[in-house]
Amino acid sequence: MIVRHPFTRLVSAYEDKMLNPKPLLEYHKTVQNEIKRRRGKSEDQNFVFPKHLLMTEKYQLMLKRKTTSLEELRSQPSFPEFVSWLLESRSNKSISPNSWKKDMMAFKPFFSVCPVCQVDYAIIKLDGEGNEIESWIDYLGLNLTSTEAHTKGGTPDKAMDYFSQLTKDQVADLYNIYNMDFRLFSYTPDMFIRVAKGNIPIEKMASLSPEPLRTQINYPFKNKLKVDEMQKISIEGKKGLNVLEKAKIKQISKIKSLNAQFSAAIMS
């Protein structure tokens, strides 16, 4: 299983599912329209469609064939609007994989899609500074491009540009949603928090500390949950913590070993 930083993956999903006015799935069009309806008639939309996407062959063809227009592209959800929708949609939800709608596949954490605790996956991280996925595809001789594999577009630098539009408070809430992926695959949110605006609320500082997985479970918006709901979520979460901790240790070891083997192979 090839994994990426949870936040660069989220940015990639945003560009592919929210900025495209003609998404493949009707669900993503529904989400786009829902976000647009929230703006209100008097609310200004200062969104500038990303130039790096606008100049691609895909969007140039859409404009040439008049299947979309610059006006429509500029009306697409901004990244802060998308994040606000995502945070609200996850409000009062547990950490259980079953709490994610099937249609939200593009935004779901890895651990909720692939049973990393039940299946002995080989985990590979190919999201360094170079385009390692291209080398990996060439190495395996696959008839596939990184764009077709949906790995193009989610680079750390580009993702940080998007995250600079958010507040640190929002980034902290996103971290809580993808907490298990960060811990299982040994990623950190530090650079994304640094570029975000404002300050992190004191009550959320503890949730960003690198405590062992088994000692901390974070629930976004837990102050909004009723006591009985919190108890139910707590029991549900604790059932899998020991398994997740063991899986994390195993996967980190595999990541180091496989990345070393791959690096040696492409250098030879």
Side-chain angles (χ1 to χ4, degrees), residues 27-90:
Y27 172 74
H28 295 133
K29 188 64 178 179
T30 300
V31 173
Q32 291 178 18
N33 292 333
E34 181 182 336
I35 292 174
K36 292 176 183 179
R37 284 195 298 270
R38 294 183 179 191
R39 290 173 186 158
K41 294 181 180 180
S42 61
E43 188 173 336
D44 291 331
Q45 169 66 349
N46 298 317
F47 175 63
V48 177
F49 196 84
K51 186 176 180 180
H52 68 271
L53 291 178
L54 187 61
M55 300 310 295
T56 60
E57 181 181 4
K58 171 183 175 179
Y59 283 99
Q60 288 298 303
L61 276 175
M62 291 174 72
L63 290 169
K64 184 177 180 180
R65 294 171 179 172
K66 296 184 178 181
T67 57
T68 189
S69 65
L70 286 174
E71 183 180 2
E72 182 179 32
L73 293 178
R74 290 170 184 147
S75 73
Q76 291 304 100
S78 68
F79 190 62
E81 286 179 321
F82 164 67
V83 168
S84 294
W85 167 82
L86 179 60
L87 293 177
E88 186 174 328
S89 71
R90 292 302 300 164

Side-chain angles (χ1 to χ4, degrees), residues 14 36 59 76 91 113 122 129 196 223 227 247:
Y14 162 72
K36 292 176 183 179
Y59 283 99
Q76 291 304 100
S91 176
V113 179
E129 295 181 359
N223 59 317
V227 174

